[in-house]
Amino acid sequence: MIVDKVATRIDLEKCIGCGLCVSICPLDTLSLKDGKAVITGTESLLCGHCAAICPQSAIVVDGLDPTLRCETFDEQTEWMPFGQPDIQKLLQLMRSRRSCRKYADKPVPYNILKDLVKIGISAPSGSNVQGWSFSILPNRETILELGMQVVKFFKNLNRMAELYPLRMYSYFFGKDELGQYYRNYYSRVKEHIDAFQKNGIDRLFHGAPAAILIGGNPKNGGTPQEDALLATQNILLAAHAMGLGTCLIGFVVEAMRRDSSIKKHIGISVDDDIYAVIAIGYPQEKYKTLTGRKPVNIHYFNAKEK
Ligand code: SF4
C-alpha cells in the first residue's frame, strides 16, 4: 500500500553515502545529496527495503519491527542470501506436508496458533497492502460452533437441490450451479451431515482441535485473495515444521462465502471475505514416503530450448 507519510528516518552520522538505499527504493523516495541519503519523495510502500539493505544500519522505518516476536521458538533475524537455503530440505518439507484428517485429542497451545499467524504475515502481499485478517478458533467448542452453522447452510442447500424445478430454474436462468452441486456434492454432503448428526462423526473438520480462518477485505484494494492464500501456504508449511497437521476445509469457505450470517455468528466482519480455513491439530498419521503428483503441462512461449 502506498502511503503519503514516509516513516523512514536516516541517521546522517552513520550514513556513508553508498547509495544502496536509493537504488533499491521502489518509489524513488530517497536521493543522495552532498554524499548522504535524504528523503526527497513523499510516498512510501513501507516495505523496509532501505533499512534492510543499509550496510551501516543507518535507516529505521518507524512501525516496522524486524522480528515477528514469535513466542514458541527463537527467530533468526539475519537475511538469508539468495541460494543459501537448503533447497533439498525446503522441497522435502513442501512435499511432506499432507492434508491431515486424523487428529489426536490434544489442544494446540494458543501461543503456537498465534505464532502461526505471525509466520503467515511474512508472506508477500500485493502492493504490500497486508490487508489480510486472521481468526483463530482455539478449541473444539468453537470449531463445533462454526461447524453447526456450516451444517445448517448445507442442509438448506440440499433441501433446495432436491427440488427438480429449482434445478431446472438454475439451469435455464442461471449457470446450472444447483444442478452441478446436486450431481457432484449432494449425496456426499447428505451422508456427512447424517454421520455428524446421528453418530457425531466430524467429516468437516476431521476432529481437529483448532482452526485458523484467513480472509481480507476486498475494499482495501490490492490482491486480498492471493495474499490470504500465500499466507495460508506459509502456515501450512510452518505447521508441519512445528509438528502439527493441517487440512484446508473448502466446504467452510464456500458456506461462509454464500451465507454472511455465518461470519456474523462467529464475530467476523461481513466486509471480510474468507479465502481459506485451515484445520489444525497434532496428527495421528505417519507416512513412510512421499507420493507423486500428476504430470504437469508447461507452456513455453517461443522457447528455443525445452
Ligand atoms: Fe547511507 Fe545506508 Fe543509504 Fe548507504 S544505504 S546511502 S549508508 S543510508
Side-chain angles (χ1 to χ4, degrees), residues 83 158-159 216 283 297:
N158 268 18
R159 267 196 285 270
N297 287 322

Side-chain angles (χ1 to χ4, degrees), residues 4 12-13 21 58 64 70 72 74-75 87 100 174 206 237 240 250 255 258-259 265-266 273 285 288-289 301:
D4 287 335
L12 295 182
E13 296 281 312
C21 57
L64 295 188
C70 290
T72 60
D74 291 332
E75 287 173 70
I87 185 59
C100 178
H206 312 291
L237 294 178
H240 188 98
R258 291 173 181 272
D259 182 354
H265 190 89
I266 61 168
D273 287 342
E285 297 175 346
K288 195 172 164 213
T289 60
F301 173 59

